[in-house]
Amino acid sequence: AHSTLDEIQVREVPKSRVHIIQDSLKLDSYLDLEYAIRKLDENQTEPLFFLGKVGVGISKEKLEHGEFSRYDQVFLILDDEDDYQGETEQIPARTCAVIRFRGSHPEAPEYYRKLTDHITRNGFTINGASQEITLIDDGLTSDSEKFVTEIRIPVKK
C-alpha cells in the first residue's frame, strides 16, 4: 500500500533490522549524508546497496517540541540476507503516521509539522524516533524534482 504524495496515512510498518549511529546532523543537502554513509560502510566485507536503505531520525523529545531541523541518528535498514558487520537491532512492527513528499531533507521540516499536527489532532501520541528515508536519490537521478522522501513517526492512541 504505497501512499500517494502528500497524503498522511496511519498504518502498520513491518518490523525491520537496522544498524543505528547516534549522531547529531544538520542536513542542508543529501550530500551531508555522505560522511555518515561512509561510517556505516567502513567495516563491511561486502559492499552494501544503500538506495532507500539509509535514513535519518529525530528523537521523540525533539519531535514533541517541534524541533525538526537537526537529526539525532542515521540508520541503515538491512535485509535478512545482508551480512552486516556491526551491531544491529530489531525494530518491531509498529503503527506509524506516514507521509511521502517530493523532495529531500531540506524540504522535510514542513512535512514533520504536518505529521505532528495530524498526530495531535487525531488523539495519537508520538511513540519513538522518526524514520526519514529518501527513496529516490542521486543514485538514480540527479534531478532533485524526482526525489521522494518518506517520513514515518511511530504513534500510539
Side-chain angles (χ1 to χ4, degrees), residues 13-130:
V13 170
K15 71 175 171 57
S16 57
R17 183 166 73 105
V18 296
H19 171 74
I20 297 177
I21 297 177
Q22 300 297 337
D23 201 350
S24 177
L25 283 181
K26 186 156 178 45
L27 297 178
D28 296 313
S29 98
Y30 67 92
L31 292 172
D32 297 335
L33 263 181
E34 284 298 310
Y35 168 71
I37 289 175
R38 280 203 295 278
K39 239 162 107 173
L40 288 167
D41 207 21
E42 64 192 357
N43 300 317
Q44 302 315 307
T45 41
E46 297 170 36
L48 289 160
F49 181 63
F50 282 122
L51 186 64
K53 287 187 163 185
V54 173
V56 287
I58 298 178
S59 69
K60 176 177 187 280
E61 292 65 42
K62 280 202 182 134
L63 292 170
E64 289 167 342
H65 289 120
E67 296 171 37
F68 310 129
S69 59
R70 263 193 177 280
Y71 297 94
D72 303 297
Q73 51 171 248
V74 182
F75 59 88
L76 173 62
I77 298 172
L78 298 160
D79 291 327
D80 293 339
E81 63 273 11
D82 287 333
D83 181 20
Y84 189 79
Q85 310 296 314
E87 259 180 62
T88 61
E89 54 186 273
Q90 288 284 351
I91 297 178
R94 55 202 183 152
T95 303
C96 292
V98 180
I99 193 167
R100 282 190 178 188
F101 62 92
R102 207 166 278 301
S104 186
H105 312 297
E107 290 76 38
E110 66 171 294
Y111 292 95
Y112 275 100
R113 214 161 288 126
K114 282 183 181 175
L115 272 176
T116 53
D117 287 351
H118 182 88
I119 289 167
T120 313
R121 264 202 324 274
N122 290 281
F124 289 101
T125 53
I126 295 171
N127 194 27
S130 66

